[in-house]
Amino acid sequence: MGKLVVANNLTLTYENNPVIKSSNFTINSGDFVFLTGVSGSGKTTIIKSLYGELKPHSGNLRIGEFNLFNISKSKLSTLRKHLGIVFQDFKLIPEWNILKNVMLPLLIAGVNKNEAEQRAMEYLSRVKLSHKADKFPAELSGGEQQRAAIARATIHNPVMILADEPISGLDEYSASLVMDLFIKANQKGITIVIASHSIPTEFSINFRQLHIEKGKIYELA
Amino acid sequence: MSSLKSHFTLILALISILFSIFLFKTFSQILYKYKQNIIDNYSIVIVSTKQLSPNDVDNLGTLKQININNELKKLKQKYPNIDFSNITLPYFYKLKLNTLPSPKELENIKNELLNKPFIKKVMTKSSAQTKIYNLLMLLEIITKTFMYLIGILGFLLILKQLEVWKLLHNERMYIMELFGAPFWFRGAALFKIAFIDSLISLIITFILIIFVTNLTIFQKVINDLGINYQIDYLKDFGLLFVISFIISFISSILVVIGKK
């Protein structure tokens, strides 16, 4: 497996305070990675830096051919087209129905509307939401919204899915459905990086755990 | 409802700007034509000891010699005892000015001409001209101020609209950006709104223009001014079309660029 993400001496700051200090880590293609740590440890900061929302303060951070330290806007757009992002607050477009929300990455990629619609329906059925395709986000429960967000994050076959606390606040059933979707995506070869304060019990596949403590990142066995 | 309200704000702003531009343009053209009309009917009479060329009057306008033969004939009949052949008569000219001068400019022109040794007399219809000139200037200032005020009001409404648009579209554009959407994709919804609103404003403004310009009072004022003024609807529509789309598209682009 090739190295997909390489961080060398990476320092990330949040509001001028160093959150991650001179840390090194790598993520290989196809890895299933849990990024763990206590609240405020810097999990979200790392996820944000991986999708280019936060520029590294110093050091080196690469995703494939993209150097996130000095990435241009157009290259960042290209990179993001190859990523799937899942947020704790779902970030579904409120004025769009679920079907259109799921279609978003395909529409951005220039896939024609009919084909995008067809594929979105297929992905909605995978996340067991095809019956809610025409509903708006506000009409869905948290768990349903997160499943829709995962369908949106996977529909364009991204190389990597970045998920920030995707199961926090969900009930046990919804959380297990959501984790199952990540596992299925990973089985298709998609690299998964999940920021979570804990790892779900009875987790059935091999995974790596990168733990953040006092600004440093450690790999736990 | 709020979406309808936001459409209404932009449409109202655009209509006020477009209509003020139309009025500004129309008033300027009417004033220009009226000034031309006055210039055409206005001239300075110059009495000179020699024949004049345009250079002699500093190319201020068109010189036309006044034929005094008829007047001379009348004088000869009236005063048969006087031998007019021994009298050297001066040359009389009408100077038609290129532009309508202000009273002060007219006074300067008169003094400059009188400073030339061969010019003996300069006659201007100063008092009538001054009144008309002052009236025209006053009208121009009032209309321009009025148009600027409407324009500023429209501009302020558009600024307010930009804030509303930011609130309405910011989240969607941000999410799209997170998924790598290019600029045109993020702004597509706004561009569409801008296009539709521009079109609606343009149509309403044009209905308003046709209504106003066909009002009896408008036609009467034009006729009373004695000028030949025809509104070129096609040209005006083209101009307002371009302005309307430029304003709304720049506004929408500013929102997409200024997204936080």
Side-chain angles (χ1 to χ4, degrees):
Chain A
M1 289 285 180
K3 286 176 180 172
L4 182 64
V5 179
V6 178
N8 287 322
N9 287 321
L10 179 69
T11 297
L12 300 171
T13 57
Y14 183 71
E15 291 177 350
N16 292 326
N17 297 315
V19 180
I20 302 296
K21 299 166 197 165
S22 301
S23 295
N24 302 306
F25 66 91
T26 57
I27 296 170
N28 300 318
S29 292
D31 275 357
F32 196 117
V33 179
F34 278 103
L35 210 54
T36 56
V38 294
S39 292
S41 59
K43 302 184 294 288
T44 301
T45 306
I46 290 179
I47 294 285
K48 277 186 174 177
S49 70
L50 287 173
Y51 63 81
E53 178 81 347
L54 195 75
K55 198 182 159 192
H57 180 265
S58 62
N60 198 10
L61 179 62
R62 297 187 75 91
I63 298 180
E65 61 185 273
F66 300 97
N67 183 350
L68 288 161
F69 192 75
N70 51 10
I71 193 166
S72 66
K73 275 197 169 182
S74 66
K75 279 193 175 175
L76 184 60
S77 286
T78 311
L79 168 67
R80 284 174 173 177
K81 281 178 191 166
H82 294 99
L83 298 176
I85 315 169
V86 179
F87 304 88
Q88 188 180 354
D89 60 353
F90 326 124
K91 291 216 179 337
L92 295 168
I93 296 172
E95 61 269 30
W96 284 9
N97 67 22
I98 294 303
L99 179 69
K100 203 171 173 190
N101 266 289
V102 176
M103 283 161 68
L104 177 68
L106 296 181
L107 297 175
I108 291 170
V111 174
N112 81 57
K113 205 181 161 191
N114 286 341
E115 195 189 328
E117 218 170 272
Q118 218 176 334
R119 271 172 67 185
M121 278 310 291
E122 189 191 315
Y123 272 76
L124 277 174
S125 103
R126 285 186 198 178
V127 298
K128 298 180 176 61
L129 279 176
S130 51
H131 61 295
K132 299 217 168 168
D134 57 346
K135 299 278 182 201
F136 288 88
E139 297 173 280
L140 268 59
S141 70
E144 287 171 330
Q145 287 191 59
Q146 198 58 295
R147 273 147 56 200
I150 293 171
R152 180 182 63 180
T154 50
I155 193 168
H156 55 306
N157 293 320
V159 289
M160 177 163 65
I161 290 176
L162 303 167
D164 187 14
E165 304 274 6
I167 52 170
S168 138
L170 301 187
D171 60 73
E172 210 173 308
Y173 172 72
S174 295
S176 115
L177 269 180
V178 165
M179 286 314 294
D180 200 39
L181 291 169
F182 284 126
I183 292 169
K184 279 179 182 159
N186 183 245
Q187 282 165 347
K188 284 184 182 169
I190 299 173
T191 308
I192 310 283
V193 180
I194 296 175
S196 177
H197 59 275
S198 62
I199 296 168
T201 48
E202 295 176 26
F203 199 68
S204 59
I205 63 160
N206 287 332
F207 64 89
R208 288 173 61 203
Q209 183 179 4
L210 296 176
H211 186 71
I212 309 165
E213 203 174 310
K214 291 177 184 170
K216 290 284 182 185
I217 301 172
Y218 307 93
E219 172 131 23
L220 299 182
Chain B
M1 187 64 193
S2 65
S3 163
L4 205 69
K5 201 176 158 190
S6 82
H7 275 276
F8 178 74
T9 311
L10 181 66
I11 289 169
L12 187 72
L14 280 174
I15 289 172
S16 60
I17 289 175
L18 294 180
F19 196 64
S20 72
I21 288 170
F22 170 78
L23 288 181
F24 187 83
K25 189 173 164 278
T26 305
F27 273 113
S28 301
Q29 283 176 348
I30 289 173
L31 283 177
Y32 175 76
K33 288 229 171 195
Y34 191 59
K35 273 185 195 174
Q36 284 303 117
N37 207 14
I38 296 172
I39 294 166
D40 288 345
N41 296 315
Y42 179 79
S43 58
I44 296 172
V45 176
I46 299 172
V47 183
S48 165
T49 54
K50 68 161 201 164
Q51 279 200 313
L52 298 178
S53 69
N55 279 341
D56 292 323
V57 290
D58 305 329
N59 292 308
L60 287 166
T62 321
L63 267 180
K64 197 181 169 192
Q65 192 167 2
I66 301 169
N67 190 343
I68 55 165
N69 288 341
N70 287 337
E71 278 69 24
L72 203 57
K73 249 184 213 172
K74 283 177 196 167
L75 284 172
K76 278 177 184 172
Q77 283 168 359
K78 201 174 178 183
Y79 307 104
N81 300 333
I82 301 172
D83 182 8
F84 282 94
S85 58
N86 287 333
I87 301 169
T88 313
L89 289 170
Y91 298 93
F92 293 86
Y93 287 92
K94 260 187 183 178
L95 174 64
K96 199 170 260 184
L97 295 168
N98 292 330
T99 54
L100 186 67
S102 67
K104 198 181 171 191
E105 284 166 342
L106 191 64
E107 194 57 36
N108 288 342
I109 289 170
K110 190 178 174 181
N111 290 335
E112 272 177 40
L113 290 173
L114 284 172
N115 278 341
K116 296 181 192 293
F118 45 86
I119 292 178
K120 294 297 163 198
K121 199 166 185 182
V122 176
M123 286 171 274
T124 58
K125 287 179 262 180
S126 181
S127 100
Q129 200 273 344
T130 304
K131 277 181 193 167
I132 294 167
Y133 186 89
N134 287 342
L135 202 66
L136 278 180
M137 286 303 110
L138 184 69
L139 193 64
E140 198 168 358
I141 288 166
I142 290 171
T143 52
K144 279 188 179 173
T145 309
F146 182 63
M147 302 316 147
Y148 282 131
L149 282 176
I150 296 179
I152 289 168
L153 191 74
F155 180 71
L156 290 175
L157 277 173
I158 288 194
L159 285 183
K160 190 176 164 354
Q161 184 58 34
L162 293 187
E163 291 301 315
V164 175
W165 271 357
K166 270 188 188 173
L167 285 172
L168 283 174
H169 302 278
N170 215 20
E171 189 183 2
R172 192 189 62 245
M173 289 192 296
Y174 172 65
I175 294 169
M176 287 175 169
E177 196 179 7
L178 289 176
F179 283 86
F183 179 83
W184 63 266
F185 189 96
R186 298 198 304 270
L190 267 179
F191 299 148
K192 199 171 146 191
I193 292 171
F195 179 79
I196 293 168
D197 287 2
S198 303
L199 211 61
I200 293 170
S201 320
L202 203 61
I203 292 166
I204 295 174
T205 308
F206 232 71
I207 291 170
L208 210 60
I209 286 171
I210 291 171
F211 173 74
V212 169
T213 53
N214 282 294
L215 282 175
T216 320
I217 189 155
F218 184 85
Q219 300 290 344
K220 192 177 177 298
V221 169
I222 298 288
N223 287 337
D224 289 350
L225 287 172
I227 56 168
N228 178 24
Y229 181 72
Q230 292 292 323
I231 294 170
D232 188 344
Y233 288 108
L234 200 67
K235 199 175 159 191
D236 285 348
F237 186 82
L239 177 78
L240 297 183
F241 176 87
V242 171
I243 292 170
S244 167
F245 279 87
I246 286 176
I247 292 174
S248 47
F249 277 103
I250 286 179
S251 307
S252 48
I253 285 168
L254 284 176
V255 174
V256 183
I257 291 172
K259 174 201 71 61
K260 284 174 187 168

